[in-house]
Amino acid sequence: MEKIVLPDIENFHQIDVYLSNDGYKSVKKAFGQTTDEIIDQVKKSGLRGRGGAAFSAGLKWSFMPKTTDKPKYLCVNGDESEPGSFKDREIFEHNPHQLIEGTLITCYAIGAKVAYIYIRGEYHKWIKLMQKAIDAAYEKGYVGEKMKETFGTDFYCDIYIHKGAGAYICGEESALMNSLEGQRGYPRIKPPFPAHNGLWGNPTTINNVETIANVPKIIEKGWQWFAAIGEPKHPGTLLFGVSGHVNKPGIYELPSGTLLTDIIYKYAGGIPGDKKILCVIPGGSSMPPLRGDQLEGVKMDAESLKEAGSAIGTGGIMVMDEDTDLVKVLARITKFYHHESCGLCTPCREGTGWMEKVINRILNGEGSTNDLDLLISIANNIEGNTICALGEAAAWPVRYMIARFRDYFEERVNKKITIPVKNKVHSMRHTAFPLPDITK
Amino acid sequence: MNFKFTEENLNRIQKEINKYPVKKPAVMAALYVGQEQNGYISDEVIKEVAGLLEMTLEEVLGVVTFYTMYHQKQMGKYHIQVCTNVSCMLRGGYEIWDQVKNKLGINNLEVSEDHNFSLEEVECMGSCGTAPMIAVNEDYYENLNKEKVEEILESLSKTN
Ligand SMILES: Cc1cc2nc3c(=O)[nH]c(=O)nc-3n(C[C@H](O)[C@H](O)[C@H](O)COP(=O)(O)O)c2cc1C
Ligand code: SF4
Ligand code: FES
C-alpha cells in the first residue's frame, strides 16, 4: 500500500530529497488552476478533517467569502494534545515540506496571505524541526515573497509557527484563535463561524496538520485517485496511533476502513502475553470506549465507527488488556478533562470536577450503585450544554464506559444503595417537611 | 528585583512581533523568553512584557495563569515532567511517577532544597506510542523503564 503522508523515503524531511521526489510540483500545478477548481477537487476527493470531527475539507474551504477586502487566514492545527494522539509530530519530523506545500495550496485556494501553524508548546523539538524546514523553503523561494519569482505568479504567502504553552483546550479551533491572538485560550461562542469571523475578526480556515499534508498528493494525482483509497465515505489513508497494551505501539499509515483488529494484531503485533482485550478507545481519549467483544469486524473510518458506537476522532487507538483496572482508567481520563476545562461554562467546569470526585470515590471502594447513575446523570447534563465540544469529550468516556461495562463497575461498588447526605440543611429539610407519600 | 530583557532577547521578541499584524500575539513567546531569562515569571517580567507589547498587566497575567508551561515561582534547574495519562499509565507511568517522587523527595510542583530538581505531573505529551515518558526541561525521554529513569536521574545529579 502506498503511503501518502509518511512515505518510506530516507531523509524525506530534507528539502533536497523532497524536491527530487517531485516536491513543490503540486503547488506549481495548483497555481495553474483557479481557486474554485482546487476547492472543487478537494471536495470531490472526499478529504475529511483528521483533527477529530472528520468534516469535509473542501466544503470548509468553500465557506470562505470570495469577495471581501478583509485579510484571510489559515490556521494549521498542530496542538495535538488529545491523549492517545501522536501523529502530527511524525509529520513535523518526517514530512514537513509536504505540510508546507499543502499549506501553500490551501492558502491559495482560500485566498489567505498568511498561515499560522499552531504547535503545542511542549513540542520544542518538533517546533525546531518544523521551523528549520520552513526556513529552508523560504531560502529556496518556495514560501514568502520570493514565490512570485519562483512560480511566476502574483500570489505569495507567509507561513509562521505559533508556539502554544500548555493547554489542551487550545486545540479547539476558536480557543486556538484566541490563544493565537495573545489571549487566554477560551473558546468562542459559535456562530459566528471562523470562515466569517475568525482571527482578528477576519475570515479564517482551521485545519489539522494531517488534513493539510494530504492536499499536495490530491492535486498531484487527482481527486479520483484519492477517492478510490479506502472507504468511499472517508477516503485516503489515516495515521493510526496505537498505544497501550500492544507489542509494537506506534504510528501506522493505512487505508481508511482497515479492520481495527488487523491494526491491533497484524500491525501493532498483538497483546503482550497473548492476553485478551478488555477495552479499546479507538480515536483518542474523548471517544466512546468499545468492549473487547465489540471489536470484531469494526472498520476504522468515520462512518463505520459511528455505526459501531464510537467515533474516529484522531485515530489514536488505546488498547487495554484484560488485567487493566478500568475504574482507574476512567478516573485518569476524568482527571484530565477536569484539569483541562477552561471554566467558561458551568456544566463543564463543575461537572468534570464532580465526575472526578465521584469516580475517585468508587476507586477508593466507597462508591455505591447510585454513584454509577449519578455519573451518567452528570455526563448527560454536560453534553449539549456547553460552549465547546470539550464538554462532550469529557462526558462520552464516562457515559459509554459505564454503560458498556456496567457489570464490571457494579462489581466495584457497594450494592447497598446509600444516599450520603452531608449537607445538614438539606437533610433537615427532609425531616421537617416529609415528602407526601405518593405510593398511596 | 528589576527585570529588563537582554538585547538578544529583545530581538527574539521583535522577530515574534513581526509575525502578526498587531503586537499582542507575541505575548506567549515573550513570556516564555522572559521565563528563560529570569527563571520564572515574576511580577516584573509581567510588567516588562506588558509595557513592551502595550498590554495591561491584567491581560498578561491572564495569559500567564492560563497555560501550564508558565511558572510563577522558580523551578529547579531540571524540571522533571512525568506523564501519567492513560497511554503512559498503561505502560507504567504511575510507577515512574512514584519512583521519581521518592527519589527526589518532592511532590507535584515542588522544588528540591538544592533547587536542582522540580517535579510536575503532566498530561499527555504526545508520546503515547513511545510510552512511558518523562521530559526534562525541553527534552523528551521515551520508552522508559525503572532502570532508565534511574540512570537519567543519576546522570542529572552528577552533572550538577
Ligand atoms: C477540546 C478540543 C480539542 C481539540 N484539539 C485538537 C487538536 O489538538 N488538533 C486538531 O487538529 N484539532 C483539535 N480539535 C478539533 C478542532 O476544533 C478542529 O475541528 C480541527 O482542527 C479542524 O481541522 P480538520 O477539519 O482538518 O480536522 C479539538 C477540538 C476540541 C473540542
Ligand atoms: S465546554 Fe468546558 S472547555 Fe469548552 S468552553 Fe465550556 S468550560 Fe470551556
Ligand atoms: S499518555 Fe503519556 S504521552 Fe500520551
Side-chain angles (χ1 to χ4, degrees):
Chain A
M1 164 63 216
E2 187 186 357
K3 293 179 178 167
I4 301 174
V5 179
L6 294 174
D8 300 308
I9 300 171
E10 221 180 309
N11 292 326
F12 204 51
H13 65 282
Q14 293 172 2
I15 193 161
D16 294 331
V17 179
Y18 186 69
L19 283 170
S20 61
N21 284 282
D22 292 337
Y24 291 104
K25 285 215 176 119
S26 303
V27 63
K28 196 169 165 86
K29 187 173 171 189
F31 287 153
Q33 304 170 14
T34 67
T35 57
D36 281 343
E37 278 166 357
I38 307 267
I39 294 178
D40 193 50
Q41 286 170 58
V42 174
K43 236 193 245 175
K44 284 192 190 140
S45 77
L47 174 64
R48 293 170 68 167
R50 307 292 199 238
F55 190 79
S56 159
L59 192 58
K60 188 186 275 187
W61 298 0
S62 71
F63 297 152
M64 291 290 275
K66 299 258 176 316
T67 49
T68 174
D69 299 333
K70 290 182 176 176
K72 299 187 220 174
Y73 294 98
L74 171 68
C75 295
V76 182
N77 192 342
D79 192 53
E80 185 147 86
S81 307
E82 167 97 350
S85 317
F86 48 101
K87 63 190 180 66
D88 296 338
R89 76 177 234 193
E90 294 295 309
I91 299 175
F92 298 139
E93 183 164 348
H94 298 293
N95 200 357
H97 287 289
Q98 197 168 314
L99 176 61
I100 296 172
E101 190 170 6
T103 304
L104 297 173
I105 298 171
T106 311
C107 279
Y108 173 66
I110 63 174
K113 302 278 302 263
V114 178
Y116 295 105
I117 305 180
Y118 189 108
I119 307 182
R120 64 177 300 177
E122 295 88 343
Y123 273 2
H124 305 278
K125 172 180 161 190
W126 294 275
I127 290 170
K128 279 183 200 135
L129 292 173
M130 196 61 219
Q131 189 61 54
K132 220 168 128 186
I134 293 175
D135 291 345
Y138 262 101
E139 208 170 291
K140 293 234 177 207
Y142 293 115
V143 186
E145 225 176 329
K146 276 209 250 164
M147 282 172 74
K148 291 205 245 178
E149 257 174 69
T150 314
F151 298 107
T153 51
D154 286 338
F155 177 84
Y156 74 92
C157 69
D158 285 300
I159 302 178
Y160 303 113
I161 291 176
H162 185 93
K163 183 179 176 182
Y168 165 64
I169 191 60
C170 291
E172 196 279 337
E173 54 185 28
S174 60
L176 182 148
M177 292 190 293
N178 275 344
S179 174
L180 213 155
E181 287 181 14
Q183 306 177 45
R184 289 167 75 82
Y186 286 138
R188 299 176 183 174
I189 294 172
K190 283 163 263 186
F193 291 98
H196 292 278
N197 193 335
L199 271 183
W200 302 289
N202 299 311
T204 305
T205 292
I206 300 110
N207 273 124
N208 173 256
V209 165
E210 186 188 342
T211 314
I212 297 293
N214 271 289
V215 173
K217 291 286 169 198
I218 294 173
I219 300 302
E220 181 193 327
K221 302 197 173 184
W223 63 267
Q224 294 93 337
W225 166 82
F226 189 84
I229 301 170
E231 278 294 299
K233 285 190 174 156
H234 187 191
T237 58
L238 298 176
L239 298 183
F240 296 111
V242 193
S243 66
H245 296 142
V246 288
N247 283 315
K248 290 190 290 175
I251 296 286
Y252 298 92
E253 178 172 4
L254 297 165
S256 67
T258 304
L259 285 175
L260 176 55
T261 44
D262 275 356
I263 297 176
I264 296 173
Y265 289 103
K266 255 173 69 186
Y267 295 96
I271 317 302
D274 279 329
K275 286 188 195 168
K276 283 212 225 50
I277 296 178
L278 179 62
C279 173
V280 172
I281 305 180
S285 70
S286 353
M287 300 304 148
L290 295 169
R291 271 195 321 269
D293 62 17
Q294 291 179 307
L295 311 180
E296 210 49 55
V298 171
K299 289 200 246 171
M300 288 297 287
D301 63 90
E303 301 305 319
S304 309
L305 267 177
K306 208 188 283 171
E307 237 166 77
S310 190
I312 188 78
T314 58
I317 301 168
M318 303 158 106
V319 182
M320 294 159 234
D321 71 21
E322 55 190 322
D323 293 333
T324 311
D325 184 345
L326 281 189
V327 179
K328 222 167 149 185
V329 170
L330 191 58
R332 188 62 187 85
I333 291 177
T334 312
K335 175 185 158 108
F336 171 73
Y337 291 105
H338 182 210
H339 182 253
E340 300 300 328
S341 167
C342 79
L344 211 52
C345 8
T346 315
C348 171
R349 181 186 63 238
E350 302 300 324
T352 50
W354 294 346
M355 290 197 299
E356 188 188 355
K357 213 165 147 186
V358 176
I359 188 91
N360 275 320
R361 184 154 72 209
I362 298 174
L363 192 59
N364 294 335
E366 292 159 5
S368 68
T369 307
N370 33 10
D371 278 339
L372 298 179
D373 296 322
L374 180 58
L375 279 170
I376 291 179
S377 150
I378 301 170
N380 287 345
N381 278 300
I382 298 174
E383 191 178 346
N385 295 323
T386 57
I387 293 171
C388 89
L390 190 141
E392 276 78 44
W396 283 359
V398 171
R399 176 138 61 82
Y400 287 98
M401 186 79 100
I402 293 175
R404 288 184 180 153
F405 294 89
R406 185 77 198 198
D407 293 345
Y408 183 102
F409 278 83
E410 291 276 358
E411 292 264 310
R412 296 286 292 270
V413 295
N414 203 331
K415 285 290 171 334
K416 206 175 84 212
I417 298 193
T418 49
I419 302 175
V421 185
K422 288 203 176 135
N423 183 325
K424 219 168 172 190
V425 177
H426 189 75
S427 55
M428 277 164 60
R429 200 176 285 151
H430 273 272
T431 46
F433 308 101
L435 296 170
D437 188 353
I438 52 165
T439 53
K440 272 186 194 153
Chain B
M1 229 201 317
N2 226 341
F3 176 81
K4 282 263 165 266
F5 280 113
T6 62
E7 199 64 31
E8 188 198 342
N9 282 342
L10 275 178
N11 287 337
R12 277 168 75 192
I13 295 168
Q14 188 55 47
K15 258 174 93 180
E16 292 293 326
I17 295 174
N18 294 344
K19 294 179 179 178
Y20 313 96
V22 289
K23 284 185 178 175
K24 193 173 165 181
V27 64
M28 289 179 72
L31 283 170
Y32 199 74
V33 172
Q35 176 162 286
E36 250 177 37
Q37 187 183 319
N38 190 58
Y40 68 105
I41 298 193
S42 61
D43 292 352
E44 282 71 27
V45 173
I46 292 177
K47 239 183 254 167
E48 176 78 359
V49 169
L52 197 64
L53 302 176
E54 292 157 24
M55 294 170 70
T56 66
L57 296 177
E58 291 77 10
E59 282 175 316
V60 179
L61 180 63
V63 172
V64 173
T65 55
F66 193 83
Y67 301 93
T68 54
M69 285 170 65
Y70 301 128
H71 299 291
Q72 285 184 278
K73 69 172 187 191
Q74 180 85 50
M75 287 303 179
K77 179 171 163 200
Y78 300 112
H79 185 53
I80 316 278
Q81 302 140 70
V82 184
C83 174
T84 59
N85 211 309
V86 177
S87 301
C88 283
M89 178 180 121
L90 293 172
R91 299 179 80 91
Y94 270 105
E95 283 75 38
I96 288 179
W97 167 250
D98 288 336
Q99 182 190 355
V100 178
K101 213 166 66 168
N102 292 336
K103 173 112 185 160
L104 301 180
I106 47 176
N107 227 315
N108 193 25
L109 293 174
E110 286 179 359
V111 188
S112 67
E113 258 173 40
D114 57 6
H115 275 277
N116 275 331
F117 292 101
S118 49
L119 179 60
E120 186 176 358
E121 180 181 4
V122 290
E123 296 298 353
C124 177
M125 297 282 271
S127 290
C128 327
T130 39
M133 68 88 67
I134 69 171
V136 180
N137 298 337
E138 297 190 347
D139 298 320
Y140 280 32
Y141 294 81
E142 305 174 288
N143 286 317
L144 296 179
N145 52 35
K146 289 207 151 189
E147 291 72 43
K148 285 189 199 165
V149 171
E150 186 69 25
E151 241 172 70
I152 296 166
L153 294 181
E154 281 298 324
S155 75
L156 292 179
S157 305
K158 277 197 200 108
T159 50
N160 270 317

